[in-house]
Amino acid sequence: MVPLSYYLILSVILFGIGMFGALTRRNAVGILMALELMFNAVNLNFVAFSRYLPQSLMQGQIFAIFVITVAAAEAAVGLAIVLGLYRNFQTINVDEINLMKW
């Protein structure tokens, strides 16, 4: 049986890679993919704690399903925004889009 600490270490590594990707990417699609990686790290934590804590009654799996649902909605809305920005600015580079600047 794999100890809980292995899952937590893997989750921290995945979250760190996602955070690094979200902060260093210039491409909007790359930023969205990094956010999805961070959501998956959180899901791994939920499921691991649900498995190893007593009397959990599958709360971790239920929260993971909610996070997956929110991530799917975020991806759909995010990609729609990226498509709209591409139509207006002909780029998805977040440094070149100055729509919200004064």
Side-chain angles (χ1 to χ4, degrees):
M1 189 159 143
V2 179
L4 177 63
S5 62
Y6 288 2
Y7 290 113
L8 297 180
I9 291 169
L10 176 63
S11 177
V12 165
I13 292 169
L14 284 175
F15 193 85
I17 292 170
M19 181 69 72
F20 177 76
L23 293 176
T24 60
R25 297 282 179 193
R26 305 272 188 236
N27 190 344
V29 177
I31 293 171
L32 289 175
M33 289 191 321
L35 287 173
E36 293 293 328
L37 190 62
M38 290 168 34
F39 285 148
N40 286 330
V42 172
N43 284 339
L44 182 62
N45 270 337
F46 282 147
V47 172
F49 279 123
S50 176
R51 168 69 177 93
Y52 283 95
L53 292 179
Q55 302 295 329
S56 66
L57 300 174
M58 294 181 44
Q59 285 106 356
Q61 286 91 346
I62 292 169
F63 278 125
I65 290 172
F66 284 134
V67 170
I68 290 169
T69 305
V70 169
E74 173 261 336
V77 170
L79 287 175
I81 291 170
V82 168
L83 282 174
L85 289 173
Y86 182 75
R87 286 183 186 173
N88 289 333
F89 296 106
Q90 302 300 316
T91 184
I92 56 173
N93 190 352
V94 293
D95 289 339
E96 297 175 12
I97 299 169
N98 58 3
L99 181 65
M100 300 298 282
K101 290 183 181 177
W102 287 88

